[in-house]
Amino acid sequence: PQVCWLAPEQTAGKQKPYMYTQGQAVLNRSFFPGFDTPSVKCTYSATVKVPEGFTAVMSATSWEKQKDNTFVFKMSQPIPSYLIALAVGDIVSADVGPRSRVWAEPCLIEAAKKEYDGVIEEFLAVGEKLFGPYVWGRYDILFMPPSFPFGGMENPCLTFATPCLLAGDRSLVDVIIHEISHSWFGNLVTNATWGEFWLNEGFTMYAQRRISTEVYGSAYTCLEAATGRALLRQHMDNTGEDHPLNKLRVVIEPGLWGVNPDDTYNETPYEKGYCFVSYLAHLVGDQSKFDAFLQAYVNRFKFQSITADDTLGFFLEYFPELKEKGVDSLPGFEFDRWLNTPGWPPYLPDLSPGEQLMKPADELAELWAADGLNMEAIEAVDITAWRTYQLVYFLDQVLQKSPLPEGNVERLSKRYPKISKAQNAELRLRWCQIVLKNNLEAEYHKVKDFLHSQGKQKYTLPLYRAMWGGSESARALAMETFSATAPQLHVNVQNYVKKILGLEVAE
């Protein structure tokens, strides 16, 4: 299950096959014999021979190409087994910074270079200022074929990323801050068990938002965090708040055949984890003191795998005055409750700085949902300077109010070509959802084009659900699009779509 073999039609170039591995959480045991647990770290080396016309890349600190198309890799820092990754395909590279290059199929490399030139170094430098030295030497990104089902995988030295990040206008470059933040939280200091995945993801979300605040300011970061909180709300509403997976410390109990930690994957370790780390910062009450703590934490536990008890013990040791106050057992906010009680986070960080960006978006969505459009008021709002998350927030509000009164969506589409003709995947997803919710058949081709262009699970499944829940013509569009694109999709994504469309799933 760990090794994904792509036929030529599943790649961007459509000419040559491609292979990549995806180790998280416990799949690398099907790739090489090893202790496949995050509690063990080791160095590794590999020799990979590939056919002529192919290149191999790995998550390694050094690599060289020898004769006969043989590549030799070494990872000189100890890492957990899930971070060992290999990709082989028709791939080339371009430098985008002093310690960064982008890798992609030849037809994507220009776009990747243009999008990320100079960007990564800025994020890395801010990360180092906040959390201490970047220990992995290089930070490269491999832009995967369009069928790659995930957003990104933080393999050290070489993040695997969806080509959906190549929006053409740098409007999604900040998504990579999350993967860069894993260089300290997850890759350097690692959860010892998958039951405490929040140690990887909660700290990474916090680090991502610290870097984003330094680069883009707090209003924009709070708006992005509000989008995250909405996803957590949606997830908890779907599963029920008291679902055992909505604890930060998840009990992964072996049943008859054991359990796959991947099945426990959801928003909770990310967003509830972020709230817990924000609560710790709130207890300290001074951002620069908490930043210093994070640096000390990384330094204390680097290259180790740890538990939440290690983390919280170190926090109380670092702030003896908080330990004396008994902050670990304040009623309603007990550390034990955070870890072991399912449900909504007891503390939510203040996101009010984001309201200055949300309010105009809310008001504009209201105007577009009205029965008689007040074009004068609409034209008075200039959205040309709005950045991605503000536009996403606006479209989410429009989607909630859909279907809109007759004719409104057509006018919205004409009024904002920046949105209705966007190449940015986050905007395309939402625009396609709006098209389907309002049954705007004139723009169905945009849904089809988007699904033909990528196979990311997060974008593909919601659109099939929307088509299947829509009109006869929307259902026909779903069937037609799926039969045309199924071969380019990852097998898991194919099966999820089949379930939505009520088709037989091959065992």
Side-chain angles (χ1 to χ4, degrees):
Q2 143 55 310
V3 182
C4 304
W5 303 91
L6 305 184
E9 63 264 27
Q10 291 174 293
T11 68
K14 313 267 187 228
Q15 301 300 310
K16 292 182 179 176
Y18 197 103
M19 185 279 279
Y20 69 88
T21 66
Q22 169 58 31
Q24 198 173 16
V26 291
L27 293 179
N28 267 345
R29 59 189 68 183
S30 72
F31 172 34
F32 57 86
F35 296 104
D36 196 10
T37 158
S39 62
V40 174
K41 291 189 172 184
C42 63
T43 57
Y44 81 87
S45 61
T47 306
V48 184
K49 187 174 193 304
V50 300
E52 269 312 309
F54 288 85
T55 298
V57 291
M58 287 192 83
S59 53
T61 37
S62 79
W63 58 285
E64 56 168 313
K65 185 178 174 180
Q66 299 180 339
K67 58 181 190 315
D68 306 336
N69 237 19
T70 299
F71 294 82
V72 178
F73 300 96
K74 283 192 177 65
M75 168 49 88
S76 55
Q77 316 274 29
I79 59 170
S81 56
Y82 73 90
L83 290 175
I84 297 176
L86 164 70
V88 179
D90 179 10
I91 39 188
V92 292
S93 69
D95 284 320
V96 292
R99 46 186 163 171
S100 302
R101 55 173 84 95
V102 287
W103 292 86
E105 293 179 62
C107 59
L108 290 176
I109 195 71
E110 271 315 300
K113 181 173 168 51
K114 216 173 100 202
E115 201 85 356
Y116 280 89
D117 211 0
V119 172
I120 296 172
E121 187 56 35
E122 180 186 11
F123 297 154
L124 281 175
V126 175
E128 290 193 297
K129 189 182 89 183
L130 290 169
F131 314 121
Y134 177 77
V135 303
W136 307 100
R138 297 198 64 80
Y139 186 91
D140 292 3
I141 305 179
L142 171 63
F143 288 99
M144 304 296 280
S147 60
F148 186 59
F150 313 104
M153 179 61 215
E154 67 273 9
N155 302 311
C157 309
L158 184 68
T159 285
F160 286 13
T162 172
C164 293
L165 297 187
L166 304 176
D169 57 3
R170 298 199 161 181
S171 55
L172 287 178
V173 292
D174 55 342
V175 174
I176 213 71
I177 299 177
H178 180 86
E179 310 307 333
I180 286 175
S181 301
H182 272 304
S183 306
W184 293 272
F185 304 97
N187 296 6
L188 194 51
V189 180
T190 309
N191 49 229
T193 74
W194 292 119
E196 296 193 321
F197 187 44
W198 77 273
L199 288 175
N200 278 15
E201 295 300 347
F203 275 90
T204 294
M205 292 306 290
Y206 187 86
Q208 167 198 321
R209 288 170 181 155
R210 278 296 293 122
I211 293 175
S212 172
T213 300
E214 296 287 307
V215 178
Y216 299 115
S218 65
Y220 184 69
T221 304
C222 287
L223 179 58
E224 185 276 321
T227 314
R229 187 179 296 177
L231 288 172
L232 180 65
R233 184 69 271 168
Q234 213 178 328
H235 158 71
M236 289 207 176
D237 289 345
N238 288 340
T239 55
E241 281 202 16
D242 48 7
H243 194 287
L245 288 184
N246 293 332
K247 298 192 281 197
L248 288 181
R249 185 182 274 153
V250 177
V251 182
I252 301 183
E253 281 184 309
L256 186 57
W257 302 108
V259 67
N260 184 346
D262 279 343
D263 296 340
T264 66
Y265 175 86
N266 62 59
E267 294 295 337
T268 297
Y270 290 78
E271 294 295 346
K272 188 176 181 176
Y274 165 71
C275 290
F276 190 17
V277 180
S278 302
Y279 175 64
L280 297 177
H282 162 77
L283 288 173
V284 173
D286 174 321
Q287 186 65 62
S288 58
K289 276 189 184 157
F290 192 71
D291 288 347
F293 159 74
L294 288 177
Q295 223 174 102
Y297 168 72
V298 168
N299 196 38
R300 167 76 174 75
F301 294 113
K302 60 179 184 242
F303 302 118
Q304 296 178 47
S305 301
I306 63 171
T307 63
D309 294 340
D310 296 324
T311 300
L312 298 170
F314 181 70
F315 175 77
L316 294 171
E317 185 186 312
Y318 189 88
F319 295 109
E321 66 284 6
L322 292 180
K323 187 178 181 171
E324 239 164 78
K325 270 196 204 152
V327 293
D328 54 337
S329 48
L330 295 175
F333 301 96
E334 301 88 345
F335 288 0
D336 185 75
R337 174 189 171 132
W338 273 102
L339 295 174
N340 299 310
T341 307
W344 195 241
Y347 168 86
L348 294 170
D350 171 27
L351 303 180
S352 58
E355 275 162 23
Q356 66 188 76
L357 298 176
M358 287 181 225
K359 202 162 169 271
D362 276 324
E363 287 165 359
L364 187 59
E366 282 290 333
L367 289 170
W368 280 106
D371 268 329
L373 288 180
N374 177 348
M375 287 316 287
E376 199 182 341
I378 285 171
E379 280 159 18
V381 184
D382 177 17
I383 68 162
T384 49
W386 288 13
R387 299 219 10 256
T388 305
Y389 279 105
Q390 197 170 7
L391 292 167
V392 160
Y393 181 81
F394 165 65
L395 291 178
D396 281 341
Q397 304 314 305
V398 170
L399 184 60
Q400 274 173 16
K401 299 176 195 308
S402 291
L404 303 185
E406 192 72 24
N408 285 20
V409 178
E410 289 88 333
R411 295 185 70 178
L412 178 79
S413 175
K414 281 198 185 69
R415 173 91 190 123
Y416 307 129
K418 173 182 176 174
I419 290 174
S420 59
K421 295 194 167 107
Q423 284 307 298
N424 174 314
E426 293 288 330
L427 299 179
R428 283 176 88 176
L429 166 67
R430 286 161 177 88
W431 184 249
C432 289
Q433 288 173 306
I434 289 168
V435 163
L436 292 166
K437 191 88 181 271
N438 289 277
N439 204 19
L440 185 59
E441 290 194 27
E443 298 204 10
Y444 272 9
H445 63 95
K446 289 183 179 166
V447 180
K448 193 164 94 179
D449 292 346
F450 186 42
L451 289 169
H452 273 265
S453 74
Q454 57 78 41
K456 187 178 165 184
Q457 194 171 308
K458 179 183 156 191
Y459 301 145
T460 302
L461 302 186
L463 290 180
Y464 277 103
R465 284 192 200 105
M467 286 187 278
W468 204 242
S471 62
E472 277 306 302
S473 54
R475 286 185 150 210
L477 177 70
M479 283 303 200
E480 177 206 336
T481 308
F482 182 59
S483 64
T485 58
Q488 21 170 327
L489 295 172
H490 186 278
V491 60
N492 290 357
V493 180
Q494 282 181 33
N495 287 334
Y496 289 137
V497 175
K498 282 179 182 169
K499 278 187 188 146
I500 294 168
L501 304 182
L503 301 169
E504 282 292 301
V505 174
E507 279 310 318

